[in-house]
């Protein structure tokens, strides 16, 4: 599938007063791009961007949307999130460990989200996934929440948009080291690769070399995906903290047909 290559205005990361992208790093000669984290997302800005945070944000978004819950992402995980939720008549989700200490709260855990009843609107604070999503949306990109659970549905949606002439970027969110530098997380590479492999299988061409690496990384572990996710650093960390069910929930490939697209403040299902 050949598509018209269009270039979105790049999003300047917080703290930058100029465009920091060097020649080639925007991958603009390719219709399908891949780069890491908020700075990478800004560099490879495209018409449609799939954000992937497998062991937290986007998997939880997909589970919530599956259950008919309107998800309002929020950049900060502090007192501002509580005010934001109250103003929008929504329930604020708290961190996994906080939920253990606060009975009756809704957790950012995807396994816990699958058990939520009687809630229609929820605020999901996330310094990674939400920050990337809002920055991209502010720059004019259509933002999609992708995960292993809904990878094929997201691929089908993006492929349709590309047939209309859109360019695409897939952004694995990654994690943070203690010094706040980006830690590329292999589970997010696999999640991004699952979406990219789906695009290739649907006939999409024009992947950048970076996108090809993610695609091939996913294909390499697909046959034993659950074990790979459980054995990676992020999976081991969650299991050690008592959240092995979250790893299992995140590893369920293509169990969902939802396509959460950020429309205004909320993720809305655009799946067919």
């Amino acid at each position: 599938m050949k598509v018209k290559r269009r270039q979105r205005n790049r999003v300047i990361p917080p703290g930058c007063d100029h465009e920091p992208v060097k020649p080639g790093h925007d991958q603009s000669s390719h219709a399908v791009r891949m780069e890491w984290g908020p700075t990478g997302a800004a560099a490879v800005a495209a018409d449609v961007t799939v954000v992937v945070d497998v062991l937290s944000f986007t998997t939880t978004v997909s589970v919530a949307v599956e259950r008919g819950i309107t998800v309002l992402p929020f950049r900060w995980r502090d007192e501002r999130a509580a005010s934001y939720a109250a103003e929008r008549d929504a329930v604020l989700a708290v961190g996994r460990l906080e939920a253990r200490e606060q009975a009756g709260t809704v957790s950012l855990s995807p396994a816990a989200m699958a058990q939520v009843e009687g809630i229609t609107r929820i605020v999901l604070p996330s310094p990674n996934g939400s920050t990337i999503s809002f920055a991209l949306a502010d720059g004019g990109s259509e933002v999609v929440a992708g995960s292993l659970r809904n990878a094929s549905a997201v691929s089908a949606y993006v492929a349709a948009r590309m047939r209309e002439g859109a360019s695409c970027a897939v952004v694995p969110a990654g994690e943070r080291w203690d010094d706040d530098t980006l830690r590329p997380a292999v589970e997010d590479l696999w999640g991004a690769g699952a979406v990219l492999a789906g695009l290739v299988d649907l006939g999409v061409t024009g992947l950048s070399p970076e996108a090809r690496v993610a695609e091939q990384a996913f294909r390499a572990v697909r046959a034993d995906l659950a074990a790979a996710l459980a054995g990676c650093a992020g999976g081991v960390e969650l299991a050690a903290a008592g959240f092995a069910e979250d790893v299992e929930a995140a590893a369920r490939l293509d169990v969902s047909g939802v396509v959460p697209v950020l429309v205004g403040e909320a993720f809305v299902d655009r799946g067919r």
Side-chain angles (χ1 to χ4, degrees), residues 54 148 185-195 214 217-218 221 225 228-229 232:
V54 165
L148 292 167
V186 71
E187 66 269 15
D188 293 344
L189 182 69
W190 295 331
V195 174
F218 166 71
V221 299
L225 185 59
L229 199 61
C232 74

Side-chain angles (χ1 to χ4, degrees), residues 202-254:
L202 289 170
V204 173
T205 59
L207 275 69
S208 69
E210 292 82 358
R212 282 289 183 190
V213 166
E215 176 214 352
Q216 293 302 316
F218 166 71
R219 293 192 192 278
V221 299
R222 180 172 187 167
D224 205 12
L225 185 59
L229 199 61
C232 74
V236 171
E237 178 186 0
L238 277 181
F243 298 104
E245 288 185 354
D246 283 348
V247 183
E248 295 169 5
R252 293 174 186 143
L253 183 65
D254 291 334

Side-chain angles (χ1 to χ4, degrees), residues 62-133:
S62 69
V63 172
V65 172
E66 287 170 32
R67 299 178 64 77
I69 300 172
T70 299
V71 177
L72 295 90
F74 195 65
R75 292 177 175 89
W76 300 284
R77 193 178 295 175
D78 56 21
E79 65 278 357
R80 288 171 289 186
S83 298
Y84 184 84
E87 290 166 2
R88 286 152 181 81
D89 193 27
V91 173
L92 175 64
V94 301
R96 295 175 172 98
L97 294 175
E98 292 175 83
R100 281 181 175 172
E101 301 170 356
Q102 302 175 26
T105 56
V106 176
S107 170
L108 290 167
S109 154
M113 188 64 66
Q115 306 301 318
V116 167
E117 299 287 351
I119 292 175
T120 59
R121 292 167 64 82
I122 191 166
V123 170
L124 288 183
S126 163
N128 280 341
S130 287
T131 298
I132 294 169
S133 297

